[in-house]
Amino acid sequence: MSTPVTVRIAEDPADREACFAVRKEVFVAEQGVPQDIEYDAYDAVAVHVLAVREDGEPLGTGRLLFGEAAAAKTGGDASVGSLGRLAVAGAARGLGIGVALVRAIEEAARAHGLTAVDLHAQTHALGFYERLGYEAYGPEFLDAGIPHRSMRRVL
C-alpha cells in the first residue's frame, strides 16, 4: 500500500458508522443492493474491521460472524466463521486494502478459536479470494440479484 493505511477492529460507534458508510458507497450506491437488505441484525454481533487513511478517511471494511450468527452461512459448523460485507471504496482499490482486510478478519477468526472461514464471493471476485487461499464449493447462487459462490479457507 503506497497510501498510509491502518486496518483495525472497529471499536466504537464512530468506527461502525465509518464501516457502514463504505458499505453504502460500494453495495448500495455502486452495486444497487437495496439498503434495507444491506444492513441486518448480524451487524450488532459481528466483528467489524475498518481500513482508514492516515487522515481518518474510511477506505474499506468487512465483518466476521462466528458462533450462532455464522451457523446458517457455514453449514452449522461452530469452528467456521463467516467473512462478509467486504468492501473497498472505489478510489482506494488496487492498493492492497482488500487483502489487508481479509487477513485482519482471519486474525480475528483465529482469536475466536475458529479453524476456517467461509464467505459468499461475488463471482467476479473469485480470483481475488482464490489468490488468498480460498476454494470455491457448491453451485452459483444469487444474493441481492448478484451471482455468488461459496468459498472456504482453512486457517
Side-chain angles (χ1 to χ4, degrees):
M1 284 181 261
S2 57
T3 305
V5 175
T6 301
V7 177
R8 57 182 166 78
I9 302 294
E11 298 288 350
D12 58 37
D15 283 352
R16 184 90 34 111
E17 287 305 314
C19 292
F20 293 163
V22 173
R23 286 169 46 185
K24 185 174 184 178
E25 174 190 334
V26 173
F27 297 124
V28 177
E30 184 181 319
Q31 296 183 352
V33 173
Q35 190 163 316
D36 63 328
I37 66 170
E38 172 51 32
Y39 307 102
D40 59 27
Y42 295 120
D43 283 323
V45 297
V47 174
H48 296 267
V49 176
L50 176 64
V52 294
R53 200 168 51 200
E54 63 185 345
D55 65 1
E57 178 73 20
L59 300 177
T61 188
R63 75 179 186 187
L64 172 70
L65 301 177
F66 58 94
E68 281 187 40
K73 298 175 182 289
T74 64
D77 187 339
S79 70
V80 180
S82 176
L83 183 160
R85 303 302 203 268
L86 188 76
V88 176
R93 293 186 189 139
L95 302 176
I97 293 168
V99 172
L101 287 164
V102 170
R103 296 305 187 216
I105 291 167
E106 291 170 350
E107 273 307 307
R110 285 185 192 93
H112 285 280
L114 303 176
T115 60
V117 173
D118 272 15
L119 58 87
H120 294 160
Q122 293 182 9
T123 55
H124 72 85
L126 287 171
F128 167 78
Y129 290 111
E130 287 168 344
R131 288 188 294 279
L132 297 178
Y134 288 80
E135 294 182 15
Y137 66 90
E140 185 175 295
F141 60 94
L142 292 178
D143 187 1
I146 301 168
H148 285 70
R149 291 276 314 274
S150 295
M151 301 187 85
R152 176 173 287 183
R153 179 170 185 251
V154 175
L155 300 175

